[in-house]
Amino acid sequence: MTAPVENQIEGKLARKLAPVVREMLLAEIERLAAPTVAKPKASKADDDIMEACRMVASAADGLAQAKFGPGEIAARKSLERAATVLGRAMRKHGRMPG
C-alpha cells in the first residue's frame, strides 16, 4: 500500500533534483572539455642542473647514512664530486658566476 506514496515522493524528488544534477553534469563536462594549459618545457640547462642537484642530494643521503662508519670517506668524496658536477653545470649554463 505504501508503494504509490513512495513512487510519488521519488517522482517529486527526481523532478527537483534533475535541474541541479543537470547543472553539475554540464559544469563537469565543460571542465573536462576545456583545453589544458601545457606546462612550459624545461630547457636543457634546467634539465642538466636538476640532474646534478639530484646527484648531490643522493650523495648527501649516502654520506648521512655512512656517517661515522667504514664508508664515510667514500661517501664524502662522492658528495664532493657531485657538488663539483653541479657547479660545473651551473657555470656552463650561466647560472653561477665564476
Side-chain angles (χ1 to χ4, degrees):
M1 290 277 187
T2 60
V5 173
E6 287 176 1
N7 287 343
Q8 288 177 352
I9 292 172
E10 288 175 4
K12 288 179 184 178
L13 183 60
R15 279 191 297 280
K16 287 185 179 184
L17 286 177
V20 175
V21 172
R22 181 180 182 276
E23 290 300 316
M24 289 172 51
L25 287 173
L26 288 174
E28 184 65 12
I29 289 168
E30 287 177 14
R31 186 186 70 79
L32 292 173
T36 57
V37 177
K39 294 180 183 176
K41 187 172 181 330
S43 68
K44 173 72 169 126
D46 290 337
D47 289 343
D48 289 348
I49 290 169
M50 287 309 300
E51 180 58 32
C53 287
R54 283 189 282 276
M55 289 171 51
V56 168
S58 177
D61 286 345
L63 177 59
Q65 290 174 1
K67 197 79 166 177
F68 309 115
E72 181 179 3
I73 293 172
R76 188 172 306 279
K77 288 181 180 181
S78 176
L79 178 57
E80 289 173 4
R81 282 191 304 272
T84 301
V85 169
L86 174 59
R88 190 178 309 125
M90 291 184 72
R91 280 189 293 280
K92 173 183 172 185
H93 297 293
R95 303 287 174 90
M96 188 167 95

mmCIF file of all heavy atoms in Angstrom, residues 35-61:
data_model
loop_
_atom_site.group_PDB
_atom_site.id
_atom_site.type_symbol
_atom_site.label_atom_id
_atom_site.label_comp_id
_atom_site.label_asym_id
_atom_site.label_seq_id
_atom_site.Cartn_x
_atom_site.Cartn_y
_atom_site.Cartn_z
ATOM 1 N N PRO A 35 40.409 23.186 -22.740
ATOM 2 C CA PRO A 35 41.782 22.866 -23.130
ATOM 3 C C PRO A 35 42.715 22.994 -21.922
ATOM 4 O O PRO A 35 42.578 23.917 -21.124
ATOM 5 C CB PRO A 35 42.121 23.909 -24.191
ATOM 6 C CG PRO A 35 41.163 25.025 -23.956
ATOM 7 C CD PRO A 35 39.930 24.419 -23.356
ATOM 8 N N THR A 36 43.592 22.045 -21.803
ATOM 9 C CA THR A 36 44.543 22.093 -20.699
ATOM 10 C C THR A 36 45.703 22.984 -21.083
ATOM 11 O O THR A 36 46.117 23.029 -22.237
ATOM 12 C CB THR A 36 45.065 20.686 -20.351
ATOM 13 O OG1 THR A 36 45.646 20.125 -21.522
ATOM 14 C CG2 THR A 36 43.943 19.780 -19.875
ATOM 15 N N VAL A 37 46.208 23.683 -20.110
ATOM 16 C CA VAL A 37 47.348 24.563 -20.341
ATOM 17 C C VAL A 37 48.609 23.709 -20.287
ATOM 18 O O VAL A 37 48.870 23.032 -19.297
ATOM 19 C CB VAL A 37 47.405 25.674 -19.277
ATOM 20 C CG1 VAL A 37 48.625 26.547 -19.466
ATOM 21 C CG2 VAL A 37 46.133 26.495 -19.324
ATOM 22 N N ALA A 38 49.337 23.719 -21.365
ATOM 23 C CA ALA A 38 50.557 22.924 -21.431
ATOM 24 C C ALA A 38 51.630 23.560 -20.561
ATOM 25 O O ALA A 38 51.806 24.774 -20.549
ATOM 26 C CB ALA A 38 51.046 22.820 -22.866
ATOM 27 N N LYS A 39 52.317 22.721 -19.810
ATOM 28 C CA LYS A 39 53.416 23.208 -18.991
ATOM 29 C C LYS A 39 54.572 23.563 -19.909
ATOM 30 O O LYS A 39 54.843 22.855 -20.874
ATOM 31 C CB LYS A 39 53.874 22.132 -18.010
ATOM 32 C CG LYS A 39 52.833 21.795 -16.976
ATOM 33 C CD LYS A 39 53.353 20.720 -16.047
ATOM 34 C CE LYS A 39 52.291 20.310 -15.045
ATOM 35 N NZ LYS A 39 52.738 19.215 -14.198
ATOM 36 N N PRO A 40 55.242 24.657 -19.607
ATOM 37 C CA PRO A 40 56.392 25.001 -20.443
ATOM 38 C C PRO A 40 57.469 23.926 -20.320
ATOM 39 O O PRO A 40 57.722 23.405 -19.234
ATOM 40 C CB PRO A 40 56.868 26.336 -19.882
ATOM 41 C CG PRO A 40 56.251 26.456 -18.540
ATOM 42 C CD PRO A 40 55.033 25.596 -18.536
ATOM 43 N N LYS A 41 58.063 23.584 -21.434
ATOM 44 C CA LYS A 41 59.088 22.552 -21.436
ATOM 45 C C LYS A 41 60.348 23.103 -20.805
ATOM 46 O O LYS A 41 60.766 24.222 -21.079
ATOM 47 C CB LYS A 41 59.382 22.120 -22.878
ATOM 48 C CG LYS A 41 60.317 20.923 -22.941
ATOM 49 C CD LYS A 41 60.432 20.417 -24.340
ATOM 50 C CE LYS A 41 61.326 19.215 -24.480
ATOM 51 N NZ LYS A 41 62.405 19.056 -23.595
ATOM 52 N N ALA A 42 60.924 22.318 -19.932
ATOM 53 C CA ALA A 42 62.157 22.727 -19.266
ATOM 54 C C ALA A 42 63.282 22.786 -20.294
ATOM 55 O O ALA A 42 63.347 21.971 -21.218
ATOM 56 C CB ALA A 42 62.509 21.756 -18.153
ATOM 57 N N SER A 43 64.144 23.720 -20.103
ATOM 58 C CA SER A 43 65.261 23.872 -21.032
ATOM 59 C C SER A 43 66.327 22.814 -20.749
ATOM 60 O O SER A 43 66.314 22.164 -19.700
ATOM 61 C CB SER A 43 65.867 25.268 -20.893
ATOM 62 O OG SER A 43 66.497 25.392 -19.633
ATOM 63 N N LYS A 44 67.241 22.660 -21.665
ATOM 64 C CA LYS A 44 68.356 21.720 -21.493
ATOM 65 C C LYS A 44 69.163 22.121 -20.260
ATOM 66 O O LYS A 44 69.606 21.271 -19.490
ATOM 67 C CB LYS A 44 69.228 21.731 -22.755
ATOM 68 C CG LYS A 44 70.494 20.931 -22.655
ATOM 69 C CD LYS A 44 70.211 19.443 -22.677
ATOM 70 C CE LYS A 44 71.522 18.687 -22.845
ATOM 71 N NZ LYS A 44 71.734 17.697 -21.820
ATOM 72 N N ALA A 45 69.325 23.426 -20.064
ATOM 73 C CA ALA A 45 70.071 23.911 -18.904
ATOM 74 C C ALA A 45 69.384 23.480 -17.611
ATOM 75 O O ALA A 45 70.040 22.973 -16.684
ATOM 76 C CB ALA A 45 70.190 25.434 -18.956
ATOM 77 N N ASP A 46 68.065 23.655 -17.547
ATOM 78 C CA ASP A 46 67.333 23.259 -16.350
ATOM 79 C C ASP A 46 67.436 21.753 -16.119
ATOM 80 O O ASP A 46 67.593 21.298 -14.983
ATOM 81 C CB ASP A 46 65.864 23.667 -16.466
ATOM 82 C CG ASP A 46 65.666 25.164 -16.386
ATOM 83 O OD1 ASP A 46 66.539 25.863 -15.823
ATOM 84 O OD2 ASP A 46 64.639 25.647 -16.887
ATOM 85 N N ASP A 47 67.345 20.975 -17.196
ATOM 86 C CA ASP A 47 67.464 19.516 -17.072
ATOM 87 C C ASP A 47 68.836 19.131 -16.526
ATOM 88 O O ASP A 47 68.941 18.287 -15.626
ATOM 89 C CB ASP A 47 67.239 18.836 -18.420
ATOM 90 C CG ASP A 47 65.788 18.898 -18.878
ATOM 91 O OD1 ASP A 47 64.901 19.169 -18.038
ATOM 92 O OD2 ASP A 47 65.554 18.686 -20.078
ATOM 93 N N ASP A 48 69.893 19.744 -17.067
ATOM 94 C CA ASP A 48 71.255 19.431 -16.612
ATOM 95 C C ASP A 48 71.437 19.789 -15.143
ATOM 96 O O ASP A 48 71.989 19.012 -14.353
ATOM 97 C CB ASP A 48 72.295 20.189 -17.445
ATOM 98 C CG ASP A 48 72.421 19.668 -18.861
ATOM 99 O OD1 ASP A 48 71.872 18.582 -19.158
ATOM 100 O OD2 ASP A 48 73.075 20.351 -19.685
ATOM 101 N N ILE A 49 70.977 20.979 -14.780
ATOM 102 C CA ILE A 49 71.155 21.444 -13.402
ATOM 103 C C ILE A 49 70.351 20.586 -12.429
ATOM 104 O O ILE A 49 70.848 20.210 -11.365
ATOM 105 C CB ILE A 49 70.780 22.934 -13.289
ATOM 106 C CG1 ILE A 49 71.839 23.772 -14.033
ATOM 107 C CG2 ILE A 49 70.672 23.373 -11.836
ATOM 108 C CD1 ILE A 49 71.471 25.219 -14.228
ATOM 109 N N MET A 50 69.126 20.236 -12.797
ATOM 110 C CA MET A 50 68.317 19.404 -11.901
ATOM 111 C C MET A 50 68.893 18.007 -11.751
ATOM 112 O O MET A 50 68.852 17.430 -10.663
ATOM 113 C CB MET A 50 66.866 19.340 -12.402
ATOM 114 C CG MET A 50 66.106 20.631 -12.190
ATOM 115 S SD MET A 50 66.201 21.289 -10.503
ATOM 116 C CE MET A 50 65.481 19.968 -9.568
ATOM 117 N N GLU A 51 69.463 17.459 -12.812
ATOM 118 C CA GLU A 51 70.111 16.152 -12.701
ATOM 119 C C GLU A 51 71.297 16.234 -11.753
ATOM 120 O O GLU A 51 71.504 15.359 -10.912
ATOM 121 C CB GLU A 51 70.551 15.648 -14.077
ATOM 122 C CG GLU A 51 71.236 14.292 -14.043
ATOM 123 C CD GLU A 51 70.376 13.187 -13.445
ATOM 124 O OE1 GLU A 51 69.140 13.220 -13.595
ATOM 125 O OE2 GLU A 51 70.961 12.282 -12.825
ATOM 126 N N ALA A 52 72.080 17.311 -11.865
ATOM 127 C CA ALA A 52 73.215 17.493 -10.961
ATOM 128 C C ALA A 52 72.737 17.684 -9.525
ATOM 129 O O ALA A 52 73.360 17.175 -8.581
ATOM 130 C CB ALA A 52 74.056 18.681 -11.414
ATOM 131 N N CYS A 53 71.642 18.383 -9.330
ATOM 132 C CA CYS A 53 71.073 18.557 -7.985
ATOM 133 C C CYS A 53 70.653 17.218 -7.386
ATOM 134 O O CYS A 53 70.869 16.953 -6.205
ATOM 135 C CB CYS A 53 69.873 19.505 -8.026
ATOM 136 S SG CYS A 53 70.300 21.230 -8.269
ATOM 137 N N ARG A 54 70.043 16.375 -8.228
ATOM 138 C CA ARG A 54 69.651 15.043 -7.739
ATOM 139 C C ARG A 54 70.874 14.228 -7.331
ATOM 140 O O ARG A 54 70.847 13.496 -6.333
ATOM 141 C CB ARG A 54 68.835 14.314 -8.796
ATOM 142 C CG ARG A 54 67.397 14.802 -8.900
ATOM 143 C CD ARG A 54 66.557 13.915 -9.813
ATOM 144 N NE ARG A 54 66.800 14.183 -11.215
ATOM 145 C CZ ARG A 54 66.206 15.150 -11.902
ATOM 146 N NH1 ARG A 54 65.328 15.934 -11.322
ATOM 147 N NH2 ARG A 54 66.473 15.333 -13.179
ATOM 148 N N MET A 55 71.959 14.377 -8.083
ATOM 149 C CA MET A 55 73.187 13.652 -7.737
ATOM 150 C C MET A 55 73.734 14.135 -6.394
ATOM 151 O O MET A 55 74.181 13.329 -5.568
ATOM 152 C CB MET A 55 74.243 13.837 -8.832
ATOM 153 C CG MET A 55 73.921 13.116 -10.124
ATOM 154 S SD MET A 55 75.017 13.525 -11.506
ATOM 155 C CE MET A 55 76.631 13.301 -10.813
ATOM 156 N N VAL A 56 73.703 15.447 -6.163
ATOM 157 C CA VAL A 56 74.176 15.994 -4.889
ATOM 158 C C VAL A 56 73.292 15.490 -3.749
ATOM 159 O O VAL A 56 73.797 15.078 -2.695
ATOM 160 C CB VAL A 56 74.205 17.541 -4.921
ATOM 161 C CG1 VAL A 56 74.412 18.112 -3.537
ATOM 162 C CG2 VAL A 56 75.285 18.030 -5.868
ATOM 163 N N ALA A 57 71.993 15.514 -3.946
ATOM 164 C CA ALA A 57 71.081 15.045 -2.901
ATOM 165 C C ALA A 57 71.316 13.573 -2.589
ATOM 166 O O ALA A 57 71.346 13.168 -1.419
ATOM 167 C CB ALA A 57 69.634 15.270 -3.331
ATOM 168 N N SER A 58 71.507 12.781 -3.614
ATOM 169 C CA SER A 58 71.765 11.353 -3.413
ATOM 170 C C SER A 58 73.078 11.133 -2.664
ATOM 171 O O SER A 58 73.160 10.310 -1.744
ATOM 172 C CB SER A 58 71.800 10.639 -4.767
ATOM 173 O OG SER A 58 72.105 9.283 -4.599
ATOM 174 N N ALA A 59 74.102 11.901 -3.055
ATOM 175 C CA ALA A 59 75.395 11.767 -2.386
ATOM 176 C C ALA A 59 75.309 12.228 -0.931
ATOM 177 O O ALA A 59 75.920 11.626 -0.041
ATOM 178 C CB ALA A 59 76.453 12.567 -3.135
ATOM 179 N N ALA A 60 74.547 13.285 -0.678
ATOM 180 C CA ALA A 60 74.372 13.760 0.695
ATOM 181 C C ALA A 60 73.642 12.713 1.539
ATOM 182 O O ALA A 60 73.986 12.490 2.706
ATOM 183 C CB ALA A 60 73.610 15.080 0.706
ATOM 184 N N ASP A 61 72.648 12.057 0.942
ATOM 185 C CA ASP A 61 71.959 10.974 1.646
ATOM 186 C C ASP A 61 72.932 9.841 1.958
ATOM 187 O O ASP A 61 72.912 9.279 3.057
ATOM 188 C CB ASP A 61 70.800 10.428 0.806
ATOM 189 C CG ASP A 61 69.615 11.366 0.767
ATOM 190 O OD1 ASP A 61 69.553 12.302 1.586
ATOM 191 O OD2 ASP A 61 68.741 11.164 -0.115
#
